[in-house]
């Protein structure tokens, strides 16, 4: 949607970009997100205005940094990172729940390269945070909420864990802690209530980084639980100062659509909200879809090209694959100007399938790809996990539409394949009118592009590719796969249709 000069649109990072962590270095802002079972891991973004973000890389982009074994479940892998800048270097701490727990990497430039990981066996919880006090002590705080002093250069814990503060009495999942020195106090920001509809942000303060902490009397300082607000599940936040010294919050939220209970399909997205201060406590403005522009010039980034022609040696940073991406199975060097995929697993039901995709970032969008299936079988897919995906695939004889929902897998439509390459297509159309409680969030049409236009072979309800049905922490990923032999893709188009 086109922004008006005096407004901006939330989310500022649409699509599956959860658990944002942000840091400021002079006029520049850098942001990291969770990536779960996808490789490369931890996407990194740059901005000059907190509104417009451009991906500059991934922190964990080498197999030696990120091991996601074949048994890594969907929504396993890399959990919430914290990104900080200290002593002239960038520091990123995160949890690989599928391989060894917490790790820390550093870089002189956030675009990379990032170091090999320092393992942190003494840090026992997820969602780790880093903060340095005046005497140089590095404090690592993690879900629970507990804290240990840490040597970030070696990964060695320098003292026993100390419990700090766990939010409201009885609230579940105190997590995502971030510790800041602001003025005369240390502030401890956490999420609580779980990352579903009861998600919330709370805060406490202390004169020292290790407590005791006094909770804010207005806690939770942000939640949309029990409301009909179009943005739900608000939580897992980080604070940062704007170019004019004002304070802002980056947080995750979702945009459920349709009837009851409301389905979100793009995953947890990153939203921006203003923060004001009164009596030493922050108050958060509502992170709605349409927001007043901040009081500094906005710097829109050039839009990403709609088409990827696969002319580069390596896929662009936005392209991701489940668990691994072996160069012999995914290459642009075998057939110049084409992406070549060699099959490993035989379908998207299998964890080792050869798949290259990008996050769906718009509620309505149009996708096309030109596929040559002469030596194999493959296609275009919408993936949530191994048990929830739709795809249109082709081999030299047939084009078919398949759907996997939980234990059910079926062929919905088929037709003879034309000779030579074929353009496969996908269109998602968001629901704008709720007809009854069972209305889904969107409709997905899968088909082929012919001389007369797009022919849909099947039209499917999008609710079955939603978090409310499938569970987990991710969102839809749209992309190309090989299920047998070798398939080549000349280009891939992604066009937003949101208006």
């Amino acid at each position: 949607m086109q922004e008006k000069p005096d407004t901006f649109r939330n989310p500022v990072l649409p699509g599956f970009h959860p658990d944002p962590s942000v840091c400021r270095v002079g006029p520049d802002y850098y942001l990291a997100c969770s990536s779960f079972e996808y490789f490369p891991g931890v996407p990194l973004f740059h901005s000059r205005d907190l509104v417009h973000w451009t991906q500059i890389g991934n922190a964990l982009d080498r197999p030696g940094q990120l091991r996601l074994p074949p048994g890594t479940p969907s929504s396993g892998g890399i959990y919430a990172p914290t990104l900080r800048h200290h002593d002239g270097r960038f520091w990123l701490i995160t949890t690989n729940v599928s391989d060894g727990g917490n790790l820390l990497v550093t870089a002189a430039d956030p675009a990379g390269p990032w170091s090999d990981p320092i393992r942190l066996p003494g840090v026992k919880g997820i969602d780790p945070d880093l903060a340095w006090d005046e005497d140089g002590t590095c404090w690592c705080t993690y879900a629970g909420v507990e804290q240990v002093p840490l040597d970030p250069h070696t990964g060695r814990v320098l003292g026993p864990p100390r419990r700090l503060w766990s939010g409201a009495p009885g609230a579940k999942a105190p997590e995502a802690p971030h510790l800041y020195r602001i003025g005369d106090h240390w502030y401890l920001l956490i999420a609580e209530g779980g990352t579903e509809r009861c998600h919330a942000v709370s805060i406490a303060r202390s004169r020292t980084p290790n407590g005791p902490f006094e909770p804010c009397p207005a806690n939770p300082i942000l939640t949309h639980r029990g409301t009909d607000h179009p943005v739900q599940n608000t939580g897992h936040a980080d604070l940062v100062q704007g170019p004019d010294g004002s304070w802002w919050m980056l947080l995750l939220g979702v945009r459920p659509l349709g009837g009851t209970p409301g389905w979100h399909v793009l995953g947890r997205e990153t939203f921006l909200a203003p923060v004001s201060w009164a009596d030493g406590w922050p108050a958060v403005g509502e992170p709605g879809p349409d927001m007043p522009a901040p009081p500094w010039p906005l710097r829109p980034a050039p839009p990403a090209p709609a088409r990827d022609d696969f002319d580069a040696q390596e896929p662009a940073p936005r392209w991701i694959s489940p668990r691994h991406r072996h160069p012999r199975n995914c290459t642009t060097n075998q057939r110049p100007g084409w992406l070549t995929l060699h099959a490993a697993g035989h379908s998207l039901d299998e964890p080792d399938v050869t798949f290259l995709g990008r996050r769906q970032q718009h509620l309505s969008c149009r996708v096309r790809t030109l596929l040559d299936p002469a030596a194999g079988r493959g296609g275009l897919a919408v993936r949530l996990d191994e048990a929830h995906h739709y795809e249109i695939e082709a081999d030299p004889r047939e084009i078919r539409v398949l759907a996997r929902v939980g234990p059910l897998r079926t062929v919905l439509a088929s037709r003879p394949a034309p000779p030579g390459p074929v353009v496969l297509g996908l269109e998602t159309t968001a629901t704008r009118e709720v007809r009854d409680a069972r209305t889904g969030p969107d409709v997905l049409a899968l088909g082929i592009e012919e001389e007369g236009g797009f022919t849909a072979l099947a039209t499917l309800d999008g609710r079955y590719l939603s978090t409310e049905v499938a569970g987990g922490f991710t969102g839809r990923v749209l992309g190309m796969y090989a299920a047998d032999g070798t398939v080549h893709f000349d280009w891939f188009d992604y066009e937003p249709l949101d208006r």
Side-chain angles (χ1 to χ4, degrees), residues 451-474:
E451 286 188 8
F454 180 66
T455 300
L457 303 184
T459 302
L460 304 170
D461 190 324
R463 82 183 73 185
Y464 304 111
L465 301 189
S466 71
T467 299
E468 283 73 18
V469 170
F473 303 124
T474 63

Side-chain angles (χ1 to χ4, degrees), residues 185-327:
H185 288 91
W186 287 85
Y187 288 86
L188 177 60
L189 188 76
I190 73 166
E192 62 182 41
T195 195
E196 299 80 28
R197 295 295 193 266
C198 288
H199 213 196
V201 179
S202 291
I203 197 166
R205 70 186 181 189
S206 172
R207 293 292 183 176
T208 68
N210 52 6
F213 282 89
E214 165 201 5
C216 176
N219 278 336
I221 59 172
L222 176 65
T223 186
H224 287 171
R225 62 194 180 201
T227 73
D228 61 357
H229 197 283
V231 180
Q232 289 291 323
N233 302 32
T234 50
H236 201 118
D238 205 357
L239 292 170
V240 69
Q241 282 189 282
D244 64 347
S246 61
W247 284 89
W248 294 76
M249 178 178 283
L250 278 298
L251 66 141
L252 69 77
V254 305
R255 293 181 285 170
L257 292 176
T260 299
W263 293 271
H264 75 277
V265 300
L266 303 190
R268 300 171 300 160
E269 307 174 283
T270 290
F271 291 77
L272 178 66
V275 174
S276 58
W277 291 81
D279 301 322
W281 294 109
V284 186
E286 289 293 329
D290 293 289
M291 301 288 292
W296 54 77
L298 296 184
R299 299 172 178 267
R307 173 166 293 190
D308 194 323
D309 280 312
F310 304 117
D311 292 328
Q313 287 289 106
E314 298 288 338
R318 66 177 174 270
W319 292 104
I320 54 177
S321 300
R323 299 173 188 84
H324 62 84
R325 183 191 299 159
H326 200 292

Side-chain angles (χ1 to χ4, degrees), residues 285-464:
E286 289 293 329
D290 293 289
M291 301 288 292
W296 54 77
L298 296 184
R299 299 172 178 267
R307 173 166 293 190
D308 194 323
D309 280 312
F310 304 117
D311 292 328
Q313 287 289 106
E314 298 288 338
R318 66 177 174 270
W319 292 104
I320 54 177
S321 300
R323 299 173 188 84
H324 62 84
R325 183 191 299 159
H326 200 292
R328 71 168 176 260
N329 292 336
C330 178
T331 178
T332 57
N333 297 321
Q334 181 172 330
R335 187 172 175 178
W338 293 65
L339 171 71
T340 299
L341 300 181
H342 299 282
H346 294 295
S347 78
L348 287 163
D349 299 347
E350 300 181 26
D352 60 343
V353 66
T354 301
F355 174 90
L356 187 73
R358 54 156 295 166
R359 294 159 173 87
Q360 181 182 338
Q361 293 187 267
H362 300 83
L363 297 170
S364 299
C365 64
R366 177 187 294 120
V367 176
R368 300 286 188 272
T369 187
L370 176 62
L371 174 148
D372 181 356
R377 172 171 58 91
L380 175 64
V382 189
R383 180 188 190 272
L384 198 59
D385 59 29
E386 281 76 29
H388 301 84
H389 49 84
Y390 301 156
E391 56 260 41
I392 178 166
E393 70 175 27
D395 60 31
R397 298 171 302 280
E398 187 178 57
I399 297 171
R400 63 192 70 84
V401 176
L402 304 100
R404 168 75 189 269
V405 180
L408 305 177
R409 176 181 171 87
T410 186
V411 176
L412 296 168
S414 64
R415 59 169 285 177
V422 60
V423 177
L424 304 181
L426 159 71
E427 296 183 1
T428 71
T429 304
T431 298
R432 301 302 181 190
E433 178 183 352
V434 176
R435 298 180 299 278
D436 61 41
R438 299 163 298 168
T439 301
D442 61 354
V443 172
L444 288 80
L446 296 98
I448 61 174
E449 190 79 38
E450 302 177 290
E451 286 188 8
F454 180 66
T455 300
L457 303 184
T459 302
L460 304 170
D461 190 324
R463 82 183 73 185
Y464 304 111

Side-chain angles (χ1 to χ4, degrees), residues 3 8-9 12-13 47 49-53 272 294 296 298:
E3 292 176 353
F8 73 88
R9 290 285 297 172
V12 292
L13 260 181
S47 175
D49 63 8
L50 289 175
V51 172
H52 301 96
W53 295 89
L272 178 66
W296 54 77
L298 296 184

